[in-house]
Amino acid sequence: MFKLTFARKIMAAAACAAVLISPAQAAEKVYTLKLAETWPTNFGVFSEPARRMADLANKMSNGRLEIRIDTANKHKSAFGVFDMVRAGQYDMGHSASYYWKGKVPNTLYFTTMPFGMTATEQYGWFYYGGGMELMQKVYEPFNLMSFPGGNTGVQMGGWFQKEINSVEDLEGLKMRIPGFAGEVLAKLGANPTNIPPGELYTSLERRTIDALEWVGPSMDLRMGFHKIAPYYYTGWHEPGTELQFLVNKRSFDKLPADLQEILTTAMRVAAYDMTIQSYHESGQNWATMKAEFPNVEVKSFPPEVLAALRKANDELLAEHAANDELAKEILDSQAEYMGVVRQWTDIADRAYLNSFE
Ligand code: CA
């Protein structure tokens, strides 16, 4: 009798522990992740996604998931985010995939490509067209996960001191333009460079460079380029620049399943939100630029220049694909997806906008 009662007590205590203590402990445990941004402090719309994601994750988890953010001012390594997250020094990063092309060439394709997809088309590719799977395939060997981190939309072709009227005008042109587009311009005789954001204004003002591209009105207004360069060219090189959330795989795996879902959802919502905010701010800021500096002239590159850029672009892409099997798989996937989705864009957005002034 005594034995039975004792056994029951033990079982009751065990049941209590299982029902009351374990979930309670789980519900109280706070997981803290550290995130490093490529951007300096107060960097306009680029500073928003990490903060919005952290705030959402914290609220959705009832305080169980805390994300601490360090800007580049703190960690002093804007382009070291990949390595720091890989090493586990940080659990997460907010940056852009094409900054890592010098380390891992195939990371280049997940930000934006010259003459490539628009933001909407590219989101379709990421989430429904196999893009996310290919991106993971590139990042997995480095113990990293990569997620879309907010889109700037079509970027402007840049600020120029002189007009570009022919392919010859590109020869010797000193221009700040990073990524694949820089390689394309170099093929046509230009001298592309990458200059840190803080030095861009002075470089253009002192004519150390002849031209630069940055983003578009959403980010350009605060830089003041419209005060020192008369020509604002429309874009060809970054039609839908997607920023990136990087996550250390081990840090992610340590989270309980619900917090993993909360984190993933918060990143996706924050990316979507930056995309809208960028569009909003570009509209507002362009109105401001036009009102304050009516002499700024918007120009598009002549058809022969665009044709030459496109030819150089296609030749470089073919080289990339020929040199690397995974690069070929990614580029084929993008080309195939765009081949289908662009036909829809043509009779939808393009037809709508072309049908009236
Ligand atoms: Ca840019």
Side-chain angles (χ1 to χ4, degrees):
M1 193 65 187
F2 171 78
K3 271 185 183 170
L4 187 63
T5 310
F6 183 70
R8 276 193 182 147
K9 276 185 182 166
I10 295 282
M11 279 167 71
C16 271
V19 173
L20 297 175
I21 298 168
S22 297
Q25 274 178 333
E28 278 165 20
K29 184 168 164 61
V30 175
Y31 291 81
T32 305
L33 301 178
K34 282 171 65 189
L35 182 148
E37 288 176 303
T38 283
W39 332 116
T41 307
N42 295 326
F43 205 52
V45 285
F46 282 25
S47 292
E48 297 292 337
R51 278 154 196 82
R52 189 158 288 119
M53 181 275 299
D55 185 50
L56 278 170
N58 193 261
K59 284 176 179 156
M60 288 195 287
S61 67
N62 199 22
R64 289 165 55 223
L65 185 54
E66 203 172 284
I67 294 151
R68 294 189 188 148
I69 301 164
D70 282 351
T71 69
N73 298 54
K74 178 86 186 285
H75 58 68
K76 311 274 184 217
S77 187
F79 297 117
V81 170
F82 180 99
D83 287 331
M84 294 191 294
V85 179
R86 184 187 177 187
Q89 193 179 337
Y90 282 90
D91 306 290
M92 299 182 71
H94 190 251
S95 192
S97 191
Y98 63 7
Y99 290 143
W100 322 127
K101 70 168 186 146
K103 295 175 193 297
V104 186
N106 288 336
T107 56
L108 171 66
Y109 312 114
F110 301 99
T111 303
T112 184
M113 293 300 285
F115 303 106
M117 291 179 272
T118 63
T120 311
E121 292 170 339
Q122 192 170 259
Y123 273 127
W125 177 69
F126 269 127
Y127 288 113
Y128 297 97
M132 288 294 280
E133 290 79 3
L134 287 166
M135 182 154 70
Q136 289 324 128
K137 211 167 167 178
V138 170
Y139 280 90
E140 205 164 28
F142 306 95
N143 187 40
L144 291 167
M145 301 161 84
S146 174
F147 300 85
N151 204 291
T152 66
V154 176
Q155 292 204 358
M156 288 297 282
W159 296 94
F160 288 71
Q161 298 290 11
K162 289 181 192 151
E163 285 182 65
I164 301 296
N165 295 317
S166 66
V167 179
E168 289 70 44
D169 289 341
L170 295 176
E171 274 171 35
L173 181 84
K174 280 183 279 177
M175 180 170 186
R176 182 273 178 190
I177 180 167
F180 191 69
E183 293 178 38
V184 174
L185 272 180
K187 210 167 151 66
L188 295 178
N191 297 325
T193 61
N194 197 0
I195 296 171
E199 294 163 34
L200 287 174
Y201 185 91
T202 319
S203 303
L204 188 63
E205 191 185 29
R206 293 186 186 160
R207 308 291 175 104
T208 313
I209 49 175
D210 306 307
L212 61 82
E213 74 79 52
W214 181 230
V215 176
S218 65
M219 295 287 284
D220 291 8
L221 177 66
R222 57 196 279 119
M223 303 292 272
F225 305 134
H226 54 291
K227 297 173 189 168
I228 51 169
Y231 303 112
Y232 202 15
Y233 272 80
T234 59
W236 59 278
H237 65 308
E238 296 201 30
T241 308
E242 188 66 41
L243 304 184
Q244 165 195 55
F245 282 113
L246 266 178
V247 185
N248 178 291
K249 182 83 167 53
R250 275 192 295 272
S251 302
F252 188 83
D253 289 343
K254 279 183 202 160
L255 296 175
D258 64 330
L259 293 189
Q260 288 180 346
E261 193 64 32
I262 283 172
L263 182 66
T264 309
T265 304
M267 288 190 287
R268 189 161 171 173
V269 172
Y272 173 69
D273 204 83
M274 188 198 111
T275 307
I276 305 164
Q277 193 186 1
S278 295
Y279 208 91
H280 167 75
E281 296 213 356
S282 282
Q284 301 293 313
N285 292 355
W286 176 232
T288 304
M289 276 184 198
K290 277 209 301 184
E292 290 178 6
F293 291 83
N295 293 334
V296 167
E297 208 175 316
V298 173
K299 299 194 76 76
S300 291
F301 295 107
E304 67 145 298
V305 172
L306 285 169
L309 288 167
R310 186 153 200 163
K311 185 167 173 287
N313 180 73
D314 293 349
E315 286 167 5
L316 278 170
L317 285 182
E319 280 173 34
H320 280 232
N323 291 336
D324 187 292
E325 216 171 280
L326 184 50
K328 185 179 183 325
E329 193 183 343
I330 298 162
L331 290 168
D332 284 352
S333 170
Q334 289 184 334
E336 197 184 314
Y337 191 83
M338 195 166 96
V340 174
V341 84
R342 184 58 56 84
Q343 292 181 51
W344 161 239
T345 305
D346 282 343
I347 65 161
D349 292 44
R350 195 198 296 268
Y352 170 72
L353 293 170
N354 284 345
S355 62
F356 59 92
E357 280 298 308

